Amino acid sequence: MSKYEFLDRRVPIEDGNIALVQDLSKCKNCSLCRKACAVDMGVFDYYDLTTNGDHPICIHCGQCASICPFDSINERSEIDEVKAAIADPNKIVVFQTAPAVRVGLGEEFGLDAGTFVEGKMVAALRKLGGDYILDTNFGADMTIMEEASELLERVINSDAVLPQFTSCCPAWVKFAETFYPEFLPNLSTAKSPIAMQAPTQKTYFAEKMGLDAKQIVAVAVTPCTAKKFEIRREEMNSSAEYWDVPEMRDT
């Protein structure tokens, strides 16, 4: 018997989920989160809790939090960790901002939906204590180059696996790993833009600016909850390999 209740109307979220938190005292059993997970994303109902040790499968896409009208499901906040880094005089806080934020943030402050607020956003991050504000568009450019080069190589090589699927979305990558591992050879080997830019901040950028990479705290400002999972993947430590500092993380 599952410890999770009302599974016909709720999506189960495990304690310690790295991307999401759930307050069941606010839940009205409206079933919107369940529909988002099972129908829209194809996750819940496609596995059995009883044969999975009563551990919910989550791809960290955040659609349940996005659709919940009762504030019962939210993204897990890491604001306190960022504040602590900013308050530490020995830390260098580097923000990278995803493109979607600059056209989504203004609405939260009463501006018309889609208002372009990049200048205000950068100024706010600097005023809040960010030492450097970088644009994830640079990472996106690198990703485009890597994915395009890889596709050309696959097309030229008659033994390569086609078609090539994007690997930019960590929720999609985990979905494929979990439910369709046979398609993993089709995924591009390129990292997401955020995961690609992050190590350049602690390598190339640190060297160019004369910064101690070990003191850099790299913060990604993004609307994607799955990035919270992605940055903690074991292999997201290219900067650690570069500097030979095993405990270093890219983001």
Side-chain angles (χ1 to χ4, degrees):
M1 183 175 180
S2 177
K3 65 182 177 182
Y4 299 98
E5 299 178 325
F6 306 108
L7 291 176
D8 60 329
R9 285 166 282 171
R10 287 180 185 167
V11 61
I13 297 177
E14 197 161 27
D15 290 342
N17 186 304
I18 198 61
L20 302 164
V21 292
Q22 187 176 36
D23 183 351
L24 293 177
S25 68
K26 296 180 179 180
C27 179
K28 307 299 181 185
N29 289 327
C30 70
S31 76
L32 288 176
C33 65
R34 193 189 193 287
K35 177 181 178 295
C37 188
V39 179
D40 299 337
M41 303 309 297
V43 176
F44 198 41
D45 284 352
Y46 290 84
Y47 70 96
D48 191 340
L49 274 172
T50 62
T51 60
N52 202 46
D54 210 28
H55 294 296
I57 291 176
C58 180
I59 62 172
H60 309 296
C61 66
Q63 295 307 301
C64 57
S66 179
I67 199 68
C68 178
F70 302 110
D71 198 39
S72 175
I73 305 175
N74 282 288
E75 68 276 8
R76 182 176 294 278
S77 175
E78 296 182 81
I79 293 296
D80 288 341
E81 289 89 335
V82 177
K83 285 182 176 180
I86 289 174
D88 187 339
N90 295 316
K91 298 298 183 183
I92 304 165
V93 179
V94 178
F95 287 105
Q96 63 158 303
T97 61
V101 179
R102 72 197 64 174
V103 292
L105 184 62
E107 190 175 356
E108 297 298 317
F109 292 88
L111 300 177
D112 291 338
T115 300
F116 186 77
V117 294
E118 182 178 27
K120 292 181 173 63
M121 176 186 68
V122 172
L125 289 171
R126 290 301 300 269
K127 193 170 182 64
L128 287 169
D131 295 296
Y132 298 94
I133 319 298
L134 305 179
D135 197 320
T136 307
N137 273 342
F138 175 70
D141 286 344
M142 289 192 290
T143 303
I144 289 169
M145 295 299 294
E146 289 295 326
E147 285 194 340
S149 298
E150 183 179 7
L151 178 58
L152 283 173
E153 180 64 30
R154 290 191 187 212
V155 171
I156 293 171
N157 182 354
S158 59
D159 295 328
V161 178
L162 290 170
Q164 176 180 301
F165 300 154
T166 183
S167 56
C168 285
C169 172
W172 149 242
V173 171
K174 188 175 183 184
F175 179 85
E177 289 174 331
T178 305
F179 295 105
Y180 296 98
E182 65 270 25
F183 288 126
L184 292 181
N186 294 88
L187 263 65
S188 169
T189 59
K191 297 178 181 179
S192 72
I194 283 176
M196 196 172 290
Q197 177 163 320
T200 70
Q201 295 172 172
K202 291 190 175 182
T203 55
Y204 171 77
F205 181 74
E207 291 180 320
K208 184 177 179 64
M209 302 301 292
L211 306 175
D212 182 353
K214 294 189 294 296
Q215 301 305 317
I216 292 178
V217 178
V219 182
V221 182
T222 167
C224 175
T225 54
K227 290 291 190 288
K228 293 178 181 291
F229 161 75
E230 180 190 37
I231 64 173
R232 289 169 171 84
R233 292 186 69 122
E234 183 180 355
E235 62 269 27
M236 298 303 176
N237 66 341
S238 298
S239 54
E241 295 181 10
Y242 185 86
W243 293 110
D244 194 22
V245 180
E247 68 275 12
M248 184 181 288
R249 303 296 301 170
D250 291 338
T251 311

